[in-house]
């Protein structure tokens, strides 16, 4: 039986990058889609692409950091399709800057979207995923949920939090023998507009960060989406995407808590921070 045909799949942050690629590939595989994003323009484009790929699409503007909005969205999706099988917690934002120059507002914003967004959607959709008899939660962490990068503490903390939440959820659901699987995804650099969309601390040379990102981001959004869907099909607990994610995984195991020394020295070579 196909893992995607006729399944109802919820994708947050569907208006760009990996979320858009996931939406189109799910549509091609016969899934029925509930797409959302905080930015309506990108979402409209994704809806058009997913429909052209043959998908039945329900779309709403939803800011995942807004709990009430996510509660309403979960009701609306269940009402529209009658069931929910898969939740792709994809929405996310990046932030670049040293801790000393990062405002509380920016630290809270990144956590609100990247961590609380996953918590809101997972808690609201979980009863429907259980009811479906064959649910799946995908949580989007990052390579920076394996290793913390200096000058990205806000992002690192949110992605480590996503990993902790997802791993605990998987263990709880296995122990309770619930029919819901959990996959935590750790992409390395993927060629999306994430850096264009990113906030930064005052004085950061974001044009330089973008140039470096374009050089190191070897994975395409389509490649990342394929790896995620393969992970869902094979019920993988953890999906590493790209050679950089695999290197980070090995580094974290080899160096243990000493990896920060390596990370600090390596990042100094690459991060054009005005504040370092
Ligand atoms: N691109 C990478 O290198 C990379 C690496 C590791 C992890 N990730 C993660 O993958 C996910 C997708 O990122 P991407 O690279 O496609 O970035 P992207 O910027 O292209 O897409 C992110 C989408 O999330 C949406 N979004 C932002 N805030 C939102 C909110 N509050 N509510 C709902 N939607 C919101 C944006 O509007 C955008 O459409 C993110 O969670 C990101 O952290 C990306």
């Amino acid at each position: 039986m196909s893992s995607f045909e006729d399944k109802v799949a919820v994708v947050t942050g569907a208006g760009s990058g990996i979320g858009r690629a996931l939406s189109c590939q799910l549509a091609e595989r016969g899934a029925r889609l509930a797409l959302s994003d905080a930015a309506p323009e990108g979402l409209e484009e994704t809806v058009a692409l997913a429909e052209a790929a043959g998908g039945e699409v329900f779309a709403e503007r939803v800011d995942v950091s807004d709990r009430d909005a996510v509660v309403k969205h979960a009701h609306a999706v269940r009402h529209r399709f009658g069931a929910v099988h898969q939740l792709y917690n994809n929405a996310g934002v990046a932030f670049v800057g040293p801790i000393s120059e990062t405002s509380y507002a920016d630290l809270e914003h990144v956590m609100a979207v990247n961590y609380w967004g996953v918590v809101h959607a997972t808690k609201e959709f979980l009863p429907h995923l259980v009811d479906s008899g064959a649910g799946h939660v995908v949580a989007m962490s990052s390579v920076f949920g394996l290793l913390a990068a200096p000058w990205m503490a806000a992002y690192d903390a949110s992605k480590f939090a996503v990993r902790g939440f997802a791993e605990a959820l998987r263990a709880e659901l296995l122990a309770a023998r619930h029919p819901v699987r959990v996959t935590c995804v750790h992409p390395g650099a993927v060629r999306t507009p994430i850096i264009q969309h990113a906030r930064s601390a005052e004085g950061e040379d974001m044009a330089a960060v973008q140039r470096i990102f374009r050089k190191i981001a070897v994975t395409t959004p389509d490649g990342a989406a394929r790896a995620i869907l393969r992970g869902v099909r094979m019920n993988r607990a953890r999906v590493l995407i790209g050679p950089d994610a695999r290197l980070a995984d090995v580094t974290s195991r080899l160096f243990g808590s000493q990896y920060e020394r390596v990370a600090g020295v390596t990042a100094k070579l690459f991060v054009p921070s005005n504040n370092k």
Side-chain angles (χ1 to χ4, degrees):
M1 211 170 71
S2 160
S3 308
F4 306 104
E5 182 86 37
D6 285 332
K7 296 286 191 298
V8 175
V10 176
V11 184
T12 68
S16 177
I18 300 171
R20 174 171 290 171
L22 273 172
S23 304
C24 291
Q25 291 185 23
L26 283 161
E28 284 161 13
R29 288 163 171 73
R32 290 175 290 158
L33 296 171
L35 306 183
S36 64
D37 201 290
E41 313 78 36
L43 182 61
E44 278 168 28
E45 266 181 60
T46 302
V47 170
L49 290 166
E51 284 179 343
E56 179 188 344
V57 181
F58 169 72
E60 282 194 319
R61 187 197 165 276
V62 179
D63 175 347
V64 291
S65 69
D66 177 347
R67 192 197 302 169
D68 291 341
V70 177
V71 169
K72 285 191 190 121
H73 183 57
H75 281 302
V77 173
R78 173 71 189 241
H79 181 72
R80 165 68 187 258
F81 291 111
V84 186
H85 301 93
Q86 297 175 359
L87 167 63
Y88 294 83
N89 279 304
N90 167 76
V93 287
F95 184 90
V96 179
I99 295 165
S100 58
E101 307 304 317
T102 305
S103 68
Y104 283 107
D106 282 328
L107 282 160
E108 285 169 3
H109 173 71
V110 176
M111 200 54 100
V113 177
N114 292 4
Y115 174 64
W116 281 104
V118 172
V119 174
H120 293 154
T122 302
K123 277 181 67 68
E124 292 310 314
F125 281 102
L126 194 55
H128 308 315
L129 299 173
V130 172
D131 285 352
S132 77
H136 205 121
V137 176
V138 173
M140 192 66 94
S141 179
S142 164
V143 63
F144 298 142
L146 299 170
L147 291 176
W151 300 284
M152 291 198 70
Y155 188 76
D156 299 330
S158 71
K159 295 300 186 179
F160 270 76
V162 167
R163 172 183 166 191
F165 184 79
E167 292 183 1
L169 179 69
R170 183 174 170 93
E172 281 186 21
L173 295 174
L174 282 171
R177 297 179 187 275
H178 272 308
V180 179
R181 297 162 158 190
V182 181
T183 296
C184 191
V185 182
H186 300 271
V190 181
R191 224 176 300 142
T192 71
I194 190 165
I195 300 297
Q196 271 151 262
H197 297 158
R199 295 186 185 183
S200 60
E202 189 130 341
E204 290 303 318
D205 182 352
M206 289 305 281
V209 174
Q210 276 215 48
R211 279 198 297 280
I212 292 165
F213 182 77
R214 273 198 293 267
K215 273 193 203 146
I216 62 171
V218 291
T219 305
T220 63
D222 274 336
R226 269 195 302 279
I228 293 166
L229 296 187
R230 194 181 319 119
V232 167
R233 187 164 46 77
M234 300 177 78
N235 186 23
R236 295 268 191 253
R238 179 180 285 187
V239 172
L240 302 173
I241 300 179
D244 40 358
R246 286 189 283 278
L247 181 64
D249 184 42
V250 170
T251 304
S252 71
R253 292 168 199 266
L254 279 181
F255 288 89
S257 63
Q258 294 298 305
Y259 83 82
E260 292 95 343
R261 291 175 193 276
V262 186
V265 172
T266 315
K268 269 203 163 197
L269 299 174
F270 291 107
V271 180
S273 171
N274 290 335
N275 299 301
K276 73 187 174 191

